[in-house]
């Protein structure tokens, strides 16, 4: 006697269509893991070798940089070329802190500071970055830079003369405890203010 098709024993099996989603999900998970690992490696490379965050601590760079602002420092630019006058740098100070200052004089140049005036190789330089601060102080009847003058001195090879924009309140190359800044102490060039949000801007163009 023949059996009905409904009475036939059924063999359960997984079709290719049913297996595909599981395989695809596993493949996607592996791709995500690889992407995250690569992203992590890139973050480490960027953080330690290319760029680094820096927090301004103190008022030595007022009025252009305020305490608490956060910057991105380019750590490789000076591996490609030497620093230039006017650039804002971060460097390891002798007392174990990192300072942020502005490059004023380069190796081999003579530098002299008399009141608000700065002379490089005997020629007064333009200081547009603190022009308004100087003018405001002069209107009030006094010099902006109230610290002692810096006598004409030649900058040694491989070193820089750097000062803070807040000339009356900056511990910089004018101070014997800081002095000239060796190239090998320079961390990098300040590139971007990224915090607070309303101050986001490029420092150098």
């Amino acid at each position: 006697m023949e059996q009905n098709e409904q009475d036939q024993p059924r063999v359960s099996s997984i079709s290719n269509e049913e297996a595909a989603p599981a395989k695809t999900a596993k493949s996607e998970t592996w791709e995500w893991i690889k992407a995250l690992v690569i992203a992590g490696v890139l973050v480490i490379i960027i953080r330690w070798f290319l760029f680094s965050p820096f927090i301004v601590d103190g008022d030595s760079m007022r009025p252009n940089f305020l305490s608490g602002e956060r910057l991105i420092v380019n750590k490789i630019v000076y591996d490609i070329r030497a620093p230039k006058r006017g650039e804002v740098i971060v460097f390891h100070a002798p007392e174990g802190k990192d300072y942020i200052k502005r490059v004023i004089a380069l190796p081999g140049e003579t530098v002299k500071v008399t009141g608000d005036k700065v002379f490089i190789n005997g020629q007064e330089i333009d200081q547009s970055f603190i022009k308004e601060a100087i003018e405001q102080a002069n209107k009030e009847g006094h010099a902006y830079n109230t610290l002692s003058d810096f006598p004409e001195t030649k900058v040694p090879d491989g070193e820089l003369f750097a000062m803070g924009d807040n000339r009356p309140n900056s511990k910089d190359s004018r101070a014997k405890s800081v002095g000239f800044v060796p190239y090998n102490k320079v961390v990098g060039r300040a590139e971007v203010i990224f915090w607070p949000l309303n101050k986001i801007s490029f420092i150098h163009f």
Side-chain angles (χ1 to χ4, degrees):
M1 181 181 293
E2 295 182 357
Q3 291 181 319
N4 293 329
E5 290 184 1
Q6 293 181 349
D7 298 331
Q8 295 286 343
R10 295 183 179 181
V11 178
S12 63
S13 63
I14 301 176
S15 66
N16 290 335
E17 290 77 6
E18 293 173 326
K23 185 176 181 180
T24 301
K26 186 175 181 181
S27 177
E28 288 182 355
T29 300
W30 174 239
E31 290 300 320
W32 272 105
I33 292 173
K34 288 194 296 183
L36 291 173
V37 170
I38 292 172
V41 172
L42 289 175
V43 167
I44 293 173
I45 292 174
I46 292 172
R47 170 64 178 81
W48 293 108
F49 299 102
L50 303 181
F51 299 93
S52 179
F54 177 82
I55 301 176
V56 178
D57 182 16
D59 296 326
S60 73
M61 286 298 286
R62 279 181 172 271
N64 297 305
F65 301 90
L66 307 181
S67 186
E69 290 182 345
R70 286 163 170 74
L71 316 175
I72 294 295
V73 177
N74 185 332
K75 300 171 70 173
I76 63 169
V77 62
Y78 296 138
D79 291 331
I80 300 171
R81 63 164 178 80
K84 297 180 180 180
R85 187 178 356 272
E87 292 183 331
V88 177
I89 62 171
V90 172
F91 63 91
H92 299 311
E95 59 185 40
K97 293 183 178 180
D98 285 348
Y99 281 5
I100 177 172
K101 307 292 177 184
R102 192 180 297 273
V103 176
I104 301 298
L106 306 173
E109 296 180 333
T110 61
V111 56
K112 178 182 178 181
V113 181
T114 303
D116 292 332
K117 297 182 178 181
V118 177
F119 299 87
I120 303 296
N121 295 333
Q123 299 292 319
E124 183 180 356
I125 64 170
D126 174 64
Q127 302 180 86
S128 57
F129 44 87
I130 55 171
K131 181 180 179 181
E132 292 183 5
I134 292 175
E135 291 177 346
Q136 181 60 38
N138 292 339
K139 287 180 181 179
E140 296 171 359
H142 60 86
Y144 179 55
N145 176 24
T146 56
L147 296 182
S148 300
D149 292 342
F150 186 82
E152 188 170 58
T153 308
K154 185 176 182 179
V155 182
D157 290 340
E159 299 185 5
L160 303 165
F161 181 86
M163 287 196 291
D165 291 349
N166 190 355
R167 296 294 164 75
N169 185 23
S170 174
K171 191 175 182 181
D172 48 42
S173 289
R174 295 172 291 176
K176 291 183 178 179
S177 60
V178 178
F180 297 109
V181 182
Y183 277 3
N184 62 6
K185 296 297 183 180
V186 177
V187 176
R189 185 177 77 166
E191 295 286 357
V192 178
I193 299 175
F194 71 90
W195 186 266
L197 295 179
N198 64 346
K199 288 290 295 290
I200 291 178
S201 59
F202 288 100
I203 299 166
H204 299 291
F205 297 93

